């Protein structure tokens, strides 16, 4: 997601939503209200219209947790299509494809990031996951150990929620 925000012209940031039990498509609207500083009562139409002039990447993480054909997934599909129609970029991270999303759509396989971008992704992931440890001084080492790959960086940051940073770095440096 970070590489998309940094490389696609006109994208002014991102909003990250984790799909799964306890979450709904409406939670994405709440995140967008907060992101844009809109009132809590701002209607869906106002949020969507705001995207026309404030382009964002909206990330739907853990997409495989929504069963194909379920009402919950249909609500997400409807919102995703509305977001795309209002100039948002949408990224679904999932181990399964969402074939019900209408074209145009593309598969994106992340590649190794530049060193400075990888370090920034470490810090953004730590922030996104609410990690209490400040990784600023270690972001380069973490990114290097994770091969500057976005998914490995995410995995390393997630492991640091319950493991010592030095242990995680050492384990990732030994990966083959």
């Amino acid at each position: 997601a970070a590489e998309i925000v940094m490389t696609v012209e006109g994208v002014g940031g991102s909003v990250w939503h984790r799909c799964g039990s306890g979450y709904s498509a409406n939670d994405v609207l709440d995140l967008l209200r907060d992101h844009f500083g809109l009132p809590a009562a701002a209607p869906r139409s106002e949020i969507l219209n705001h995207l026309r002039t404030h382009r964002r990447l909206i990330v739907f993480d853990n997409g495989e947790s929504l069963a194909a054909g379920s009402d919950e997934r249909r609500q997400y599909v409807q919102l995703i299509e509305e977001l795309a129609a209002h100039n948002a970029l949408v990224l679904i991270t999932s181990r399964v494809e969402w074939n019900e999303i209408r074209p145009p759509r593309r598969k994106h396989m992340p590649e190794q990031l530049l060193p400075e971008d990888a370090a920034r992704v470490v810090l953004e992931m730590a922030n996104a996951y609410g990690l209490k440890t400040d990784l600023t001084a270690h972001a380069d080492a973490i990114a290097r150990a994770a091969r500057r790959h976005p998914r490995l960086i995410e995995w390393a940051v997630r492991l640091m929620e319950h493991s010592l940073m030095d242990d995680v770095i050492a384990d990732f440096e030994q990966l083959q």
Side-chain angles (χ1 to χ4, degrees):
E3 87 183 87
I4 293 171
V5 171
M6 290 183 260
T7 58
V8 176
E9 190 173 324
V11 176
S14 63
V15 173
W16 195 283
H17 171 75
R18 184 169 175 80
C19 302
S21 63
Y23 300 104
S24 73
N26 285 330
D27 293 335
V28 177
L29 296 171
D30 291 337
L31 289 170
L32 286 167
R33 275 186 199 97
D34 289 345
H35 179 79
F36 290 129
L38 298 172
R44 184 182 193 114
S45 60
E46 183 179 343
I47 299 164
L48 293 172
N49 284 331
H50 207 74
L51 285 166
R52 290 197 186 279
T53 56
H54 301 85
R55 192 170 197 205
R56 297 295 186 266
L57 170 67
I58 315 299
V59 180
F60 292 84
D61 190 19
N62 199 34
E64 68 275 4
S65 68
L66 301 171
S70 68
D71 286 337
E72 186 178 40
R73 182 142 148 184
R74 276 192 284 279
Q75 291 172 9
Y76 275 94
V77 168
Q78 179 184 351
L79 177 60
I80 288 167
E81 289 178 349
E82 287 178 279
L83 291 167
H86 285 82
N87 202 32
L89 288 177
V90 176
L91 175 65
I92 303 169
T93 64
S94 179
R95 291 178 185 90
V96 297
E97 287 192 49
W98 285 37
N99 293 319
E100 62 268 54
I101 302 288
R102 288 181 272 174
R105 65 176 187 207
R106 292 182 295 188
K107 267 187 170 179
H108 177 75
M109 301 305 287
E111 298 178 13
Q112 190 178 54
L113 300 170
L114 295 172
E116 61 275 10
D117 293 338
R120 193 170 344 153
V121 169
V122 168
L123 299 176
E124 289 175 4
M125 285 288 179
N127 183 49
Y129 286 114
L131 198 66
K132 301 206 183 330
T133 305
D134 182 6
L135 301 180
T136 305
H138 308 282
D140 288 328
I142 295 165
R144 256 191 328 276
R147 314 294 196 280
R148 297 192 333 253
H149 190 280
R151 289 188 181 150
L152 288 176
I153 290 170
E154 178 182 13
W155 184 25
V157 169
R158 294 293 305 267
L159 287 173
M160 288 181 201
E161 292 175 323
H162 305 287
S163 302
L164 296 174
M165 180 177 6
D166 291 339
D167 292 344
V168 172
I169 291 172
D171 288 346
F172 272 75
E173 286 174 340
Q174 293 179 13
L175 288 177
Q176 302 255 334

